[in-house]
Amino acid sequence: MRTSQRYAWMGLISLILASGCNPTKHLADDEKLYTAGNVTIHKDSIPKERKDAFEEHLEGMLTPKPNKKFLGMRIKLGLWNMGGGPDSTTGIKNWLKKQGEEPVLLEDVNREYNENLLRNRMENLGFFNAYVTSDTAINGKFAEVNYNAFPGNIYRIANVDFEIDSATHLGRDILSTKDSTLLKIGSNYNLDIILNERDRIDNDLKNKGYYYFSPDNILVEVDSTNGTNKVDMYVTVKPETASKAKSPQKIGNIFIYPNYKQTSEGFRTARPRKSQLFRDNYYIMDPQNTYRKPVLANHIFFHKGDTYNRNDHNMTISHLVNLNAFKFVKNNFVDSPDSANTMDVYYYLTPMQRKSIRFEVLGKTASVYNGTEANVSWTLRNAFKGFETLNVSVFGGYETQTGGNVNLNSSYIRYGAEVGIVWPRLLSPYKWAPSRRFIPKTYAKVGYEFLNRRNAYTLNSLTMNYGYNWKENEQKQHDLAVAEIIYVQPRNISDEYRAQMDTVPTLRHIVDPQFSFGPNYSYTFTNSMEKTRKHTFYVKTGLNTSGNVLGLIQGASYENDNIKKVFGTAYAQFVKAEADFRHYMKLSSNSQLASRLMIGTSYSYGNSRSLPYLKQYFSGGPNGLRAFRARAVGPGIAVPENIGEENFFADQTGDFKLELNTEYRAQISGMFHWAAFVDAGNIWLQRQDDNKPGGRLSKNFYKELAVGAGLGLRVDLDFLVVRLDLATPLRVPYRPPGDRWVFKYIDIRDSDWRKNNLVFNLAIGYPF
């Protein structure tokens, strides 16, 4: 049966490829398939790199677009052909036809329209007196159009005059910001910059109360008649601008409907008859007291009598949306009947469903291991009438070995629960407001997990967190866990596992009781959302501590056998710091170079010899050194201890970490992308461990780096990215010195080499 299915799929793929290789199958004799529009810029004074980018930019404006290609073939056009082309079809052929796309023909191309489009674009960028010619190149049933663009001389700005009446309130407000103008003397004429300048003026005026003003009220006149390839610019206010747009607006009454349901008549603007003024500013129509009025009012940044301000307007909307309580947020400004140049404000807030439940099932497969996991999450919004979000989740899963020889520690069952609550404010005895623009949050979480390794051991884990996270601005975020408590207690360690611990002492660390408590802090900076930048960055740094004050008070000392305990368990005492630096360089519109540097360090002392197992670093796996299996590298030059016949490794963990990655990413076609990458790194121990010779960090750490490289395929589905990576080791640190580079051993034709060295990773999302 499987053989038949394989042949059926191979047959279907062959048909699609065959159709893709014959894209002109249904074309009439006089029809030509349009394959490309090419732009060549004829101007020697433009550097080649800029000319190439300019040509690519202009080609992106051409219409229509040729049929899409994947790996050199027009697959969608092939599907359309398989569906019968222009013929009327039903059934499977009709379905195939709908999945495809019709051929784009030469006759669909309006060359004159495209010529004018390219000419206008060049002139809008300052190349006045530009012109474009075109011709058609035909090769059998295929055709492409070549456009020859001849830019004129570039025009630059000679003078900028703001011809604004300074005697008016509006004129003074515009002139007060002219030093911030985007129209710089000596810069190229650029229509986009002119439009951005109008938006800049409008935004400044909006923050000074001019609600009814518009960028269209600004006129920028350009004089290019001086004959020197320069232009003079004159910024004015259009004389037909309405008087209302020339006057700042004040805030009148503020009406808030927090339980609004939109009717067929739309949003009502009539004033409520019976409502009580809250804080002398707000009319809150909430007779059932669904929300605490002081909390709701704290997220409204307008006050009665204020001058309108766009920043306060946007901040209010942003806060109401991010309270995680309202499905729709609608805001109306209406001229007040009581006074001139005054607006009443209406907020219509449609609540989300207060209670919701979510069920997730995840299937897992890897080599000879298979399993599944389920998660049920219940959410209660506005839990205590202050926009709190309460979440309760329970989970359970198992993994079992379905092939090969059964190994110790190969199967598990895990289940647990977590209760968490988030407050949209800082609950602190000290009053501090890190930012008005973003909502700070206080969180508290308690979680329990039971892990049963069946033939090996069981672990009971309890975690508790209380802390704050807040955004300083769009680029900077802080997370302060005032208290993080982790308690892990092993149970039911089997005789087989104890015997294995004597052979492989590394296994003992996994089942050590673990108890850590202390504050944590992390800081994140990123400007990767700024798509126009060539270079963008992501930086995350963190500091993690445990037991430091208590250990110093009690005089805890691991070396002197003076180990202190809390609740019968020795607690960890350490300071741990880490940093993750990422750099993204845009090479073109469809390619980039992504690089990462990760540094992790720690210092365990007093009550601890090393970091607890859950806090230690590891290397390898789909998001790190992809040429090595997860937790199978290091520490240092220590040889991984193989257990059993199915490459089960005792986890290799350490107290220090260094990892470097670089990856070239490029689009193939549509949702398909590819990557080529190189990874390097390792972990090390703080102190010498006789069971892991060569694992301690030394001055020769750079000679102990593992290196791997590979290729990857990414499928970008917009809502998630499916990633497939295939990698192989290039440098193995635990080989003898002088023989760690393994290029000479690479033999792709050898099945044993492929089995032992090619590592396949399937993951969701980019590794960094």
Side-chain angles (χ1 to χ4, degrees):
M1 182 66 179
R2 290 184 178 179
T3 302
S4 300
Q5 289 178 345
R6 188 185 311 122
Y7 285 138
W9 278 109
M10 290 175 63
L12 178 60
I13 293 171
S14 298
L15 282 172
I16 293 173
L17 293 178
S19 299
C21 292
N22 185 20
T24 63
K25 179 179 179 180
H26 290 287
L27 296 189
D29 292 340
D30 60 342
E31 291 180 330
K32 309 296 181 186
L33 185 69
Y34 174 60
T35 59
N38 307 304
V39 177
T40 302
I41 295 176
H42 298 272
K43 193 169 184 65
D44 295 336
S45 60
I46 301 178
K48 184 180 184 306
E49 183 178 344
R50 289 184 56 197
K51 184 184 292 186
D52 291 343
F54 198 3
E55 289 173 345
E56 183 180 352
H57 171 69
L58 294 178
E59 286 173 356
M61 302 179 65
L62 297 173
T63 60
K65 304 298 181 188
N67 293 105
K68 296 176 182 177
K69 296 173 70 175
F70 174 63
L71 299 179
M73 291 174 290
R74 298 173 177 84
I75 301 297
K76 285 203 166 187
L77 178 55
L79 292 173
W80 187 83
N81 285 332
M82 289 179 62
D87 299 332
S88 177
T89 58
T90 58
I92 185 65
K93 281 194 171 185
N94 187 51
W95 180 83
L96 287 171
K97 190 173 178 179
K98 288 183 177 179
Q99 306 310 307
E101 60 183 19
E102 295 185 34
V104 180
L105 304 177
L106 178 62
E107 64 188 44
D108 298 327
V109 180
N110 187 331
R111 287 167 50 188
E112 183 180 358
Y113 173 82
N114 281 334
E115 289 173 7
N116 290 330
L117 194 68
L118 299 180
R119 177 179 55 80
N120 288 337
R121 184 55 183 162
M122 287 189 289
E123 291 189 344
N124 289 341
L125 293 174
F127 295 97
F128 290 3
N129 304 315
Y131 66 96
V132 179
T133 63
S134 64
D135 59 78
T136 303
I138 297 177
N139 182 11
K141 299 290 289 183
F142 301 93
E144 58 185 41
V145 179
N146 299 312
Y147 297 89
N148 296 291
F150 298 87
N153 292 324
I154 191 74
Y155 276 65
R156 302 184 185 279
I157 301 174
N159 296 291
V160 179
D161 289 334
F162 279 74
E163 295 187 337
I164 306 292
D165 185 1
S166 61
T168 65
H169 196 290
L170 174 65
R172 289 192 296 272
D173 284 332
I174 293 176
L175 292 172
S176 67
T177 64
K178 75 173 187 177
D179 290 342
S180 302
T181 181
L182 304 178
L183 306 175
K184 304 297 185 182
I185 294 175
S187 298
N188 298 354
Y189 169 91
N190 189 316
L191 180 60
D192 294 336
I193 300 298
I194 293 175
L195 296 177
N196 289 339
E197 171 66 4
R198 298 201 314 168
D199 289 337
R200 182 197 67 81
I201 294 172
D202 175 67
N203 189 63
D204 285 339
L205 293 177
K206 286 292 193 297
N207 284 321
K208 295 176 180 177
Y210 295 88
Y211 176 79
Y212 291 106
F213 197 85
S214 164
D216 290 336
N217 297 137
I218 294 292
L219 177 64
V220 180
E221 296 179 300
V222 180
D223 182 4
S224 61
T225 61
N226 57 21
T228 58
N229 295 331
K230 293 185 178 180
V231 297
D232 296 326
M233 291 187 173
Y234 304 92
V235 182
T236 63
V237 177
K238 292 181 180 178
E240 63 269 23
T241 300
S243 58
K244 184 191 292 188
K246 297 178 181 180
S247 301
Q249 304 294 312
K250 297 266 185 198
I251 300 298
N253 294 306
I254 303 171
F255 304 99
I256 306 169
Y257 296 84
N259 291 289
Y260 189 80
K261 292 183 179 180
Q262 187 175 1
T263 66
S264 59
E265 299 177 355
F267 294 95
R268 59 187 174 185
T269 57
R271 295 189 179 193
R273 294 183 178 178
K274 294 183 179 180
S275 56
Q276 186 176 0
L277 190 62
F278 179 73
R279 287 184 180 172
D280 298 325
N281 279 291
Y282 311 110
Y283 292 100
I284 302 177
M285 271 54 72
D286 184 17
Q288 291 82 27
N289 292 319
T290 309
Y291 306 96
R292 288 160 51 198
K293 289 182 176 61
V295 178
L296 179 57
N298 286 340
H299 297 281
I300 308 295
F301 293 93
F302 282 137
H303 302 88
K304 189 173 183 178
D306 285 352
T307 299
Y308 170 83
N309 180 291
R310 174 178 275 178
N311 287 337
D312 289 342
H313 178 181
N314 291 339
M315 271 199 303
T316 299
I317 297 298
S318 176
H319 273 235
L320 294 175
V321 168
N322 288 299
L323 281 173
N324 194 34
F326 302 114
K327 182 165 53 175
F328 303 114
V329 174
K330 175 67 176 178
N331 176 214
N332 275 353
F333 291 90
V334 179
D335 290 337
S336 172
D338 300 330
S339 59
N341 297 325
T342 301
M343 304 181 298
D344 291 337
V345 190
Y346 293 80
Y347 292 100
Y348 303 99
L349 314 176
T350 303
M352 290 182 179
Q353 188 175 356
R354 189 166 182 242
K355 301 176 183 178
S356 63
I357 191 167
R358 182 176 181 179
F359 179 67
E360 294 177 322
V361 177
L362 174 68
K364 299 185 293 182
T365 179
S367 186
V368 296
Y369 300 103
N370 292 279
T372 187
E373 190 167 298
N375 186 304
V376 180
S377 180
W378 178 77
T379 300
L380 177 65
R381 296 180 179 85
N382 194 38
F384 307 115
K385 298 187 177 184
F387 301 98
E388 304 86 357
T389 300
L390 175 67
N391 189 77
V392 180
S393 62
V394 295
F395 59 88
Y398 76 94
E399 181 181 283
T400 187
Q401 186 170 337
T402 56
N405 297 324
V406 175
N407 285 316
L408 184 66
N409 199 26
S410 64
S411 301
Y412 71 76
I413 296 173
R414 65 185 285 266
Y415 57 82
E418 182 179 89
V419 179
I421 185 168
V422 176
W423 292 268
R425 53 194 173 278
L426 297 177
L427 301 180
S428 168
Y430 307 101
K431 289 188 177 182
W432 57 296
S435 171
R436 294 178 68 225
R437 185 175 178 184
F438 302 96
I439 300 177
K441 296 179 180 179
T442 303
Y443 60 86
K445 292 184 290 186
V446 178
Y448 168 78
E449 179 183 307
F450 175 81
L451 174 68
N452 184 355
R453 281 288 184 182
R454 308 183 83 174
N455 298 323
Y457 55 82
T458 62
L459 293 179
N460 291 276
S461 304
L462 179 67
T463 61
M464 290 182 282
N465 283 277
Y466 179 85
Y468 313 103
N469 58 53
W470 69 94
K471 294 186 72 171
E472 186 177 335
N473 53 43
E474 287 186 346
Q475 298 178 333
K476 302 175 183 178
Q477 181 168 324
H478 305 260
D479 192 319
L480 173 63
V482 179
E484 180 194 61
I485 301 173
I486 300 176
Y487 180 77
V488 181
Q489 189 67 31
R491 292 282 188 273
N492 305 321
I493 303 174
S494 68
D495 293 337
E496 294 86 351
Y497 193 84
R498 291 183 186 277
Q500 199 65 259
M501 287 193 305
D502 294 335
T503 305
V504 185
T506 302
L507 295 175
R508 190 181 306 277
H509 196 40
I510 299 175
V511 293
D512 282 340
Q514 300 174 61
F515 184 30
S516 66
F517 55 91
N520 300 330
Y521 170 75
S522 69
Y523 167 79
T524 304
F525 168 87
T526 181
N527 61 1
S528 57
M529 72 290 290
E530 300 176 27
K531 303 299 182 183
T532 58
R533 286 179 174 265
K534 181 175 182 179
H535 299 275
T536 57
F537 301 89
Y538 170 93
V539 180
K540 183 173 183 178
T541 59
L543 182 67
N544 188 190
T545 64
S546 173
N548 295 293
V549 175
L550 183 60
L552 292 173
I553 293 175
Q554 293 184 331
S557 175
Y558 182 94
E559 295 178 348
N560 297 326
D561 291 329
N562 187 24
I563 298 177
K564 301 299 182 179
K565 297 183 179 182
V566 175
F567 304 123
T569 302
Y571 57 86
Q573 190 174 359
F574 63 83
V575 177
K576 177 184 176 185
E578 50 195 336
D580 182 346
F581 302 93
R582 305 178 190 181
H583 171 243
Y584 304 93
M585 181 171 65
K586 184 184 294 185
L587 302 176
S588 71
S589 59
N590 295 319
S591 65
Q592 70 170 183
L593 186 68
S595 303
R596 175 176 65 180
L597 167 64
M598 291 182 65
I599 300 174
T601 184
S602 66
Y603 179 68
S604 300
Y605 66 103
N607 223 36
S608 297
R609 176 181 172 83
S610 65
L611 290 175
Y613 178 73
L614 289 179
K615 292 291 186 178
Q616 283 195 308
Y617 298 106
F618 67 90
S619 194
N623 294 318
L625 294 177
R626 285 162 280 183
F628 298 84
R629 293 178 177 85
R631 300 175 181 263
V633 179
I637 59 174
V639 180
E641 296 155 298
N642 187 297
I643 304 173
E645 301 179 8
E646 297 297 336
N647 288 328
F648 165 66
F649 291 90
D651 289 351
Q652 307 300 303
T653 57
D655 305 305
F656 302 96
K657 180 177 181 177
L658 174 64
E659 188 167 300
L660 305 99
N661 317 84
T662 189
E663 180 172 285
Y664 172 77
R665 300 169 181 170
Q667 184 179 32
I668 301 173
S669 177
M671 69 176 71
F672 295 97
H673 302 248
W674 75 281
F677 55 84
V678 178
D679 305 318
N682 207 334
I683 56 172
W684 294 270
L685 299 175
Q686 177 183 339
R687 295 180 172 86
Q688 185 64 42
D689 187 339
D690 294 337
N691 298 309
K692 297 180 181 179
R696 185 180 181 182
L697 181 67
S698 70
K699 63 181 181 181
N700 295 319
F701 70 93
Y702 61 93
K703 298 180 181 179
E704 301 171 357
L705 294 177
V707 181
L711 299 172
L713 176 68
R714 288 89 168 89
V715 183
D716 189 346
L717 303 175
D718 290 335
F719 58 93
L720 63 85
V721 174
V722 180
R723 173 165 56 92
L724 300 90
D725 289 327
L726 185 65
T728 186
L730 301 181
R731 191 174 194 275
V732 181
Y734 49 82
R735 294 184 64 88
D739 194 35
R740 290 172 181 168
W741 291 103
V742 295
F743 291 105
K744 61 184 177 182
Y745 301 113
I746 296 176
D747 187 358
I748 196 70
R749 296 171 297 179
D750 185 346
S751 60
D752 288 336
W753 181 90
R754 294 196 302 269
K755 179 181 177 181
N756 295 323
N757 293 277
L758 290 182
V759 178
F760 173 77
N761 294 292
L762 174 63
I764 301 297
Y766 289 103
F768 54 90

